[in-house]
Amino acid sequence: MTVLERPATSLLPEPEPYRVLGTSAEPEPGLWTRLYRELVRGRRFNEQTTALTRQGRLAVYPSSTGQEACQVGAALSLGPRDWLFPSYRDTLAAVARGLDPVAALGLLRGDWHTGYDPRAHRIAPLCTPLATQLPHAVGLARAARLRGDDTVALALVGDGGTSEGDFHEALNFAAVWRAPVVFLVQNNRYAISVPLSRQTAAPSIAHKGVGYGMPGRLVDGMDAPAVHRVLTEALARARAGEGPTLVEARTYRFDAHTNADDAGRYREEAEVADWRARDPLTLLGSELRARGLLTGDVEEEAAQAAERLAAGLRAALGADPPLSAADLFAHVYASPTPQLREQAASLAEVTR
Amino acid sequence: MISMAGALNLALRDAMAADPAVHLLGEDIGTLGGVFRVTDGLAAEFGEDRCTDTPLAEAGILGTATGMAMYGLRPVVEMQFDAFAYPAFEQLVSHVSRMRNRTRGALPLPLTVRIPYGGGIGGVEHHSDSSETYYMATPGLHVATPATVTDAYGLLRQAIASDDPVVFLEPKRLYWAKDELRPDAPPFGQAVLRRPGRDATLLTYGPALTVCLEAAEAARSRGFDLGVLDLRTLVPFDDETVCAEVRRTGRAVVVHEATGFAGPGAEIAARVTERCFHHLAAPVLRVTGFDIPYPPPMLERHHLPDVDRVLDAVTRLQWEEA
Ligand SMILES: Cc1ncc(C[n+]2csc(CCOP(=O)(O)OP(=O)(O)O)c2C)c(N)n1
């Protein structure tokens, strides 16, 4: 076989990141104001959570400040039966999808690993081992298709995570199975301290799709309507049985990797300032304003929603969570082994 | 009479017929029927969506099976050989074993990982590992290993029906051993006395069971009446039966192929000592694989516990002081 089934060029990403804002694209006022409201809430969520982490109310917080357009765009592109597969940086995507923020922060607060029922919310546990959630998304998507459901899985990963073997295996399985799954790489240019040039020599991350036989798409990750549009198209394609898509969103995290990181050791202030000038909130806000779509009511309501979210976080995270050492043994197996029963009893004995 | 491979095949077929959620994934398990033919005929009978040849990537196989289980299916994964399951280790340890726990029971993972394991088949490098130690040391996994045709069928059906992930270790060198298949395999977590004995108890499982039964037979002519206990599942571990037997005989030898240092025998000896100290007439001894990388096929017979090494250990159980 020498003839390609599909010309490789049809799978290549656009030469420049896809944009909506600042172009002649037809505005979608309803969607854009919804995105704006979620961006405002999202920014407040990131800032409040970081502040609470500094006060010792969370174990750690990998903020997605700067990446809100990706988080919100991803959440709002999903249908109610779709599944989201987030990483540790994607708490906001889960919150924007409607998950209770305190439940979403369970992992990072540290009172349990996953603070919610993944099946009830169709949000997989926030995943820390890089890229290992991607094959889960592929398997779940395949299972849904085998069952005849039109569920699609959206899996999130960072640029550094694309170097992991699981990224490769997940994309390959997805393409071979034509699984209804979309991979969103938030390329924020750094994996902790390591720049993308040390992760890959590919022309872009989106170019990697062609090697698996799936389209790669490149999108401006600061442009919320653009992220939403590209993901919506990719999800529709997956739902229609046309297989997976790899989406690379070019973005930037304004804050350090986590509250415990010192970004000054590996990136220049000037670079940060350049990216802050492309703040996803400001970009969408200015465009809405320029088009006369941002009424005082919308701004007011968004600000209030953000404040309600922040106040809720302060109240809930300011209180100590109920903890029980007996829980440690409860969910290791469907029913505890005799050994775990013994250990639970002996711990209860010494902590009595 | 049926071979162990045949009994495993039958277990898979019956499980697939009984529950449409059961899906098999692996390498060469479809058209070929698996390199050991354990999935023979299943793709033809149930279709390739239920018995699927995946791309060659063990982490991908187990990772996608995990996602399928998250959606409510009941995947059964075949790893082609023991040492080729290692790429899937991260998925097993970081996700499969913990999913129930990390979600407070909201997301159980009913998933079986079948792994042909152990030596004695003249396999070249990377085809003969006894990897049970790694799996036993991973909380959240059940670890089962059949040594009889009846257990091959019964334990595999129980593993697939379990709502917890099970690592199911199939002793390669017993694949072609034939026996009567009985419908009444005891439950998971229960050790079974394969031969009663008064003087000492051999504690074993999987491929070493045959060796222990032969050793017990040979020991008769030397005046030892040895019992042989088949553990069947390493997790859960049947402390109760093990201790009851050892208390009766007062002496025990653990026999397995896996390397000895920090191996299953170390755990078993410690547990027996903690629980039965005052009933013991001698320290619990171990006959295991040596602490070496698995040897080349022409040397493996020196590494594998055999009748002579088991008998040698039995004679060192401080009989003179009894
Ligand atoms: C398998 C694995 N190796 C290392 C780490 C430690 N680690 C956590 S985040 C991170 C950087 C990941 O960078 P990237 O994928 O670009 O995502 P980002 O943090 O920028 O969102 C590293 C190395 C990990 N979580 N998992």
Side-chain angles (χ1 to χ4, degrees):
Chain A
M1 265 227 321
T2 51
V3 183
L4 291 171
E5 267 180 46
R6 265 192 297 183
T9 47
S10 73
L11 303 175
L12 288 175
E14 34 278 87
E16 287 298 320
Y18 177 80
R19 289 201 172 108
V20 168
L21 300 179
T23 72
S24 54
E26 191 64 27
E28 299 177 73
L31 172 68
W32 290 15
T33 46
R34 262 204 314 142
L35 286 168
Y36 181 75
R37 178 185 187 274
E38 286 308 314
L39 289 182
V40 172
R41 251 171 46 102
R43 175 62 51 82
R44 190 73 187 95
F45 174 80
N46 275 324
E47 288 172 354
Q48 181 63 78
T49 308
T50 296
L52 287 164
T53 307
R54 291 213 182 89
Q55 295 161 27
R57 306 311 307 185
L58 286 93
V60 66
Y61 185 59
S63 178
S64 58
T65 315
Q67 300 179 213
E68 289 96 342
C70 298
Q71 300 281 303
V72 164
L76 268 53
S77 67
L78 290 169
R81 284 189 305 281
D82 295 337
W83 270 72
L84 176 70
F85 284 78
S87 83
Y88 51 86
R89 197 177 298 289
D90 306 315
T91 323
L92 174 57
V95 172
R97 198 174 185 212
L99 184 61
D100 168 52
V102 179
L105 285 169
L107 170 79
L108 302 163
R109 187 188 199 188
D111 57 325
W112 204 263
H113 303 305
T114 301
Y116 53 91
D117 177 347
R119 262 194 199 133
H121 300 279
R122 302 199 169 220
I123 300 174
L126 299 182
C127 181
T128 304
L130 299 172
T132 56
Q133 74 277 25
L134 305 182
H136 304 170
V138 177
L140 182 135
R142 173 174 187 246
R145 206 197 44 193
L146 289 174
R147 286 239 159 126
D149 301 340
D150 72 350
T151 293
V152 179
L154 174 62
L156 274 46
V157 67
D159 47 294
T162 65
S163 300
E164 293 281 356
D166 278 359
F167 174 81
H168 159 67
E169 296 189 19
L171 267 69
N172 191 45
F173 275 61
V176 169
W177 286 344
R178 276 177 101 85
V181 57
V182 175
F183 303 97
L184 171 62
V185 182
Q186 291 170 81
N187 174 5
N188 65 10
R189 308 171 76 92
Y190 292 90
I192 309 184
S193 66
V194 179
L196 186 63
S197 59
R198 305 232 167 172
Q199 299 292 348
T200 182
S204 78
I205 291 171
H207 273 85
K208 294 188 178 205
V210 66
Y212 299 102
M214 77 173 77
R217 302 224 30 205
L218 188 58
V219 61
D220 182 343
M222 308 309 247
D223 180 337
V227 173
H228 185 270
R229 164 71 63 87
V230 168
L231 289 178
T232 301
E233 287 171 5
L235 289 163
R237 197 176 163 272
R239 217 181 301 282
E242 290 166 40
T245 303
L246 171 64
V247 179
E248 172 186 355
R250 297 264 169 94
T251 182
Y252 200 77
R253 65 169 155 75
F254 293 165
D255 291 327
H257 173 68
T258 67
N259 54 294
D261 174 43
D262 172 10
R265 293 179 75 106
Y266 54 81
R267 62 183 200 186
E268 301 291 335
E269 264 316 308
E271 181 184 287
V272 183
D274 282 351
W275 279 94
R276 278 190 184 276
R278 307 213 56 248
D279 187 321
L281 239 103
T282 325
L283 283 189
L284 182 54
S286 320
E287 176 112 3
L288 282 171
R289 235 168 263 122
R291 291 178 182 265
L293 296 170
L294 195 57
T295 61
D297 286 358
V298 172
E299 285 221 78
E300 181 80 349
E301 201 283 320
Q304 281 174 4
E307 277 324 305
R308 277 197 304 276
L309 178 63
L313 282 174
R314 286 193 303 272
L317 297 175
D320 290 333
L323 297 172
S324 154
D327 278 6
L328 296 174
F329 304 94
H331 305 296
V332 184
Y333 299 99
S335 69
T337 59
Q339 290 73 26
L340 288 181
R341 272 197 215 104
E342 264 179 40
Q343 291 169 26
S346 75
L347 180 65
E349 189 66 25
V350 299
T351 54
R352 207 171 31 169
Chain B
M1 298 279 269
I2 189 170
S3 68
M4 183 180 277
L8 293 164
N9 180 266
L10 190 61
L12 292 172
R13 171 173 287 120
D14 289 352
M16 292 174 86
D19 183 355
V22 175
H23 282 70
L24 314 190
L25 297 114
E27 298 162 358
D28 301 293
I29 67 167
T31 309
L32 184 66
V35 294
F36 293 106
R37 304 295 181 267
V38 172
T39 56
D40 193 25
L42 299 180
E45 188 170 340
F46 296 98
E48 292 188 1
D49 280 346
R50 302 256 332 257
C51 179
T52 306
D53 278 331
T54 65
L56 255 172
E58 293 75 12
I61 295 172
L62 191 55
T64 53
T66 300
M68 290 168 69
M70 289 169 78
Y71 202 73
L73 299 185
R74 209 167 263 278
V76 181
V77 157
E78 174 173 302
M79 293 288 150
Q80 202 159 66
F81 280 86
D82 31 61
F84 308 139
Y86 299 143
F89 199 60
E90 184 186 27
Q91 284 293 337
L92 195 64
V93 173
S94 295
H95 290 296
V96 174
S97 67
R98 299 175 198 228
M99 198 64 88
R100 173 190 288 281
N101 179 257
R102 58 139 60 112
T103 60
R104 286 187 196 266
L107 205 55
L109 275 196
L111 190 157
T112 303
V113 186
R114 296 180 36 244
I115 308 178
Y117 87 118
I121 60 155
V124 296
E125 195 179 16
H126 305 302
H127 288 77
S128 299
D129 283 10
S130 286
S131 39
E132 59 268 35
T133 310
Y134 310 127
Y135 306 123
M136 287 172 70
T138 303
L141 301 177
H142 285 313
V143 182
T145 174
T148 68
V149 159
T150 294
D151 271 353
Y153 181 88
L155 285 177
L156 185 54
R157 288 299 302 272
Q158 293 173 36
I160 296 170
S162 168
D163 284 336
D164 287 315
V166 179
V167 173
F168 193 84
L169 297 166
E170 302 171 358
K172 273 181 233 114
R173 67 170 136 142
L174 298 182
Y175 267 145
W176 309 117
K178 288 196 168 174
D179 204 346
E180 215 68 59
L181 173 58
R182 294 189 321 271
D184 55 348
F188 241 70
Q190 190 171 308
V192 167
L193 196 64
R194 299 290 180 198
R195 176 190 172 114
R198 274 197 313 270
D199 298 335
T201 308
L202 304 180
L203 304 171
T204 192
Y205 57 86
L209 175 66
T210 322
V211 175
C212 288
L213 289 171
E214 283 169 22
E217 193 56 37
R220 274 196 345 171
S221 62
R222 306 197 191 178
F224 293 112
D225 181 16
L226 302 182
V228 178
L229 189 67
D230 177 3
L231 298 170
R232 301 173 68 249
T233 60
L234 297 168
V235 183
F237 186 80
D238 188 356
D239 281 310
E240 206 178 303
T241 307
V242 167
C243 289
E245 266 317 293
V246 176
R247 285 195 189 111
R248 255 177 4 85
T249 61
R251 289 179 170 82
V253 180
V254 189
V255 184
H256 60 63
E257 273 185 43
T259 52
F261 184 79
E267 176 63 26
I268 296 168
R271 303 186 77 79
V272 168
T273 307
E274 283 166 357
R275 286 165 175 73
C276 315
F277 185 71
H278 294 292
H279 296 81
L280 286 174
V284 179
L285 296 184
R286 289 172 285 165
V287 178
T288 70
F290 296 114
D291 297 330
I292 56 174
Y294 197 88
M298 294 174 81
L299 288 164
E300 71 177 334
R301 68 192 165 85
H302 300 292
H303 177 71
L304 294 171
D306 62 6
V307 169
D308 288 342
R309 281 175 61 201
V310 174
L311 291 180
D312 173 63
V314 168
T315 60
R316 288 187 285 111
L317 288 169
Q318 305 193 355
W319 301 99
E320 62 286 354
E321 292 165 21

